[in-house]
Amino acid sequence: MTIAADSLTTLAQKTRNAARQLAATPTIVRDQALAAIADALEANAAEILAANAADCEAAQTNGIGSALYARLKLNQAKLQGAIQGVRDVGHLADPIGAVQIHRELDTGLDLQRVSCPLGVLGVIFEARPDAVMQISSLAIKSGNGVILKGGQEAIRSCTALVKAIQAGLAQTDIEPAVVQLLTTREETVALLELDQYVDLIIPRGSNSFVQFVQNNTRIPVLGHADGICHLYVDAAVDFDQAVTIAVDSKTHYPAACNAIETLLVHHNIAETFLPKLATVMGEQSVELRGDAKACEILPNIAAATAEDWTTEYSDLILAIKVVDGLEAAITHINTYGSRHTEAIATTDKPTAKEFMSQVDAAGVYHNCSTRFADGFRYGFGAEVGISTQKMPPRGPVGLEGLVTYKYELVGDGHIAATYSGSDAKPFTHKDL
């Protein structure tokens, strides 16, 4: 059921008012709210899983792709992991009220820069119901209201989850209206027009979708776009280690945005390394596609096209390119990568250092899987998404990406005229 434009405005106003109250609550109250939400999610687990099963059944009937289906499916273990994530966020340090600068401008005139919530977040995400729990918990911990819009495939799951979250909040001093859910595409467009009430839009989806959002709103946008990630295998490398990293980066969860889509291999080791890699990837049912040189070495694989270098497969498909060396690998990554996460496998530290300084991405890794690009794995408790833009926050966005700051100045009748003109009094500018 679509919410009328005036009703959506009213909903946003309620969320903003609830967010203002939330911003003023003590840390312990917000942490208690997260515990209550976790309890409510556990109490309603059967209902949530039943709703998800209905979503999955409908999605399969409609021919959902394997990558989206993997994100959509919510089993008992995945649900419990997400609930534990809600509890973990409650144990994180409070991001609100941190004094970043404390400076005396003059005697009795004290300046502080203090962290504070953004206000109301509008988060539009794909068919991934566990994002509801991650985003809601981070929003509440950081003192923000949130208006959620999940993918149509997950409408029953998201509805059941938000119902449980609001039930948990109803047991606390926090207004349940601080977390809201939209359910139609029409509401997504209407949400983009609510610049009076929404302070940040976080779209999670394709590059084209993120660009659509950016082009159709006056609200600041924190873009989470495609994850076209690479692993470059250098000439100086531990073969077994590189194969293990490549397999994990591709197969651990191929539907994730931090899975690699392209493998770059130094030409000096390609003839030895690629057959070893192909054997293990074949055991994992990975389809390989290669450039001309890779196809010479592995004649049974399909030829890669130009489109393969720009495709996020989100599936058990891996493109392979043989490169002349580090410079060629960096050029390829900076040309085709999505600035998400890039990795190098090498035993040569100067080579790794150059790779990490020259590659333009939110995450640059040396001798480890790209799958570590995740807010939970970074110790953020959870994430609202992974930002691929250059301006901060960048990479996995946790609590620190959901707060801003304000300057608080306290004086005792001080006026600016005292510090200007021919007899201007100097500032002390002493850090306290």
Side-chain angles (χ1 to χ4, degrees):
M1 179 178 176
T2 304
I3 299 176
D6 56 345
S7 298
L8 183 55
T9 299
T10 300
L11 178 148
Q13 288 174 326
K14 288 181 178 178
T15 306
R16 192 163 191 82
N17 290 335
R20 285 173 176 159
Q21 296 173 27
L22 176 65
T25 59
T27 307
I28 189 171
V29 174
R30 281 175 278 127
D31 290 345
Q32 288 170 345
L34 292 175
I37 288 172
D39 290 343
L41 289 167
E42 287 177 340
N44 290 276
E47 180 182 342
I48 293 166
L49 293 174
N52 183 253
D55 279 335
C56 289
E57 182 179 354
Q60 286 182 314
T61 300
N62 294 328
I64 190 173
S66 59
L68 271 180
Y69 184 79
R71 293 172 180 170
L72 172 63
K73 188 170 178 57
L74 192 65
N75 56 29
Q76 182 69 38
K78 199 171 180 180
L79 177 59
Q80 285 302 318
I83 293 172
Q84 183 56 49
V86 173
R87 297 191 189 280
D88 290 343
V89 170
H91 298 144
L92 297 175
D94 189 353
I96 302 175
V99 178
Q100 301 169 345
I101 293 175
H102 189 189
R103 181 170 298 153
E104 176 194 271
L105 304 188
D106 192 10
T107 302
L109 186 61
D110 287 353
L111 176 71
Q112 290 190 347
R113 190 171 79 187
V114 184
S115 61
C116 61
L118 289 169
V120 176
L121 316 174
V123 187
I124 311 166
F125 54 96
E126 73 284 10
R128 188 175 169 181
D130 55 330
V132 170
M133 294 172 277
Q134 293 183 12
I135 294 165
S136 298
S137 60
L138 288 171
I140 290 168
K141 179 74 177 189
S142 58
N144 292 292
V146 62
I147 300 174
L148 302 160
K149 172 59 178 71
Q152 285 298 110
E153 301 86 353
I155 187 169
R156 300 173 186 83
S157 306
C158 293
T159 300
L161 286 164
V162 172
K163 179 182 175 183
I165 289 169
Q166 291 179 336
L169 289 173
Q171 305 302 312
T172 73
D173 293 332
I174 293 176
E175 171 59 50
V178 79
V179 178
Q180 302 280 10
L181 177 69
L182 306 183
T183 58
T184 70
R185 290 184 177 90
E186 292 78 13
E187 290 162 359
T188 301
V189 176
L191 174 66
L192 301 181
E193 299 175 355
L194 297 176
D195 52 293
Q196 277 188 286
Y197 308 107
V198 179
D199 298 281
L200 181 68
I201 295 288
I202 305 175
R204 296 175 53 163
S206 66
N207 279 321
S208 60
F209 174 66
V210 172
Q211 289 171 6
F212 170 82
V213 170
Q214 291 171 330
N215 293 335
N216 287 275
T217 187
R218 293 188 295 270
I219 305 169
V221 176
L222 180 66
H224 173 119
D226 292 345
I228 301 177
C229 305
H230 302 74
L231 170 65
Y232 167 55
V233 180
D234 185 45
V237 71
D238 180 322
F239 276 28
D240 290 338
Q241 184 182 85
V243 168
T244 299
I245 292 170
V247 170
D248 187 82
S249 296
K250 177 74 260 185
T251 69
H252 181 249
Y253 187 20
C257 58
N258 57 15
I260 60 168
E261 309 297 359
T262 299
L263 182 77
L264 305 173
V265 182
H266 195 292
H267 71 98
N268 284 349
I269 63 164
E271 291 188 5
T272 308
F273 179 77
L274 285 179
K276 186 179 182 71
L277 175 82
T279 298
V280 181
M281 287 293 187
E283 293 169 353
Q284 298 292 324
S285 302
V286 178
E287 176 191 339
L288 301 179
R289 302 176 184 178
D291 68 350
K293 182 61 177 177
C295 287
E296 282 181 23
I297 300 169
L298 302 173
N300 294 326
I301 70 172
T305 66
E307 187 179 358
D308 284 299
W309 311 129
T310 60
T311 299
E312 182 181 20
Y313 303 115
S314 298
D315 203 350
L316 291 173
I317 304 171
L318 180 66
I320 299 174
K321 184 175 184 179
V322 178
V323 295
D324 290 338
L326 176 65
E327 184 177 347
I330 292 171
T331 298
H332 181 96
I333 290 170
N334 286 342
T335 301
Y336 298 105
S338 60
R339 297 179 177 176
H340 191 297
T341 304
E342 310 292 354
I344 181 173
T346 183
T347 55
D348 188 287
K349 290 184 178 179
T351 295
K353 184 176 181 180
E354 184 174 353
F355 177 92
M356 297 176 84
S357 67
Q358 295 297 318
V359 165
D360 181 13
V364 282
Y365 295 179
H366 177 204
N367 286 346
C368 56
S369 170
T370 56
R371 287 283 292 128
F372 284 107
D374 176 83
F376 174 77
R377 295 187 174 104
Y378 280 9
F380 299 167
E383 66 185 38
V384 296
I386 295 181
S387 172
T388 53
Q389 65 184 24
K390 280 199 171 184
M391 291 298 290
R394 197 180 193 194
V397 179
L399 293 173
E400 82 294 336
L402 301 180
V403 295
T404 182
Y405 53 78
K406 61 178 69 172
Y407 288 95
E408 299 180 352
L409 185 62
V410 178
D412 186 18
H414 293 73
I415 58 173
T418 304
Y419 305 91
S420 60
S422 58
D423 296 322
K425 185 180 182 183
F427 291 104
T428 58
H429 285 162
K430 181 169 65 176
D431 288 332
L432 302 176

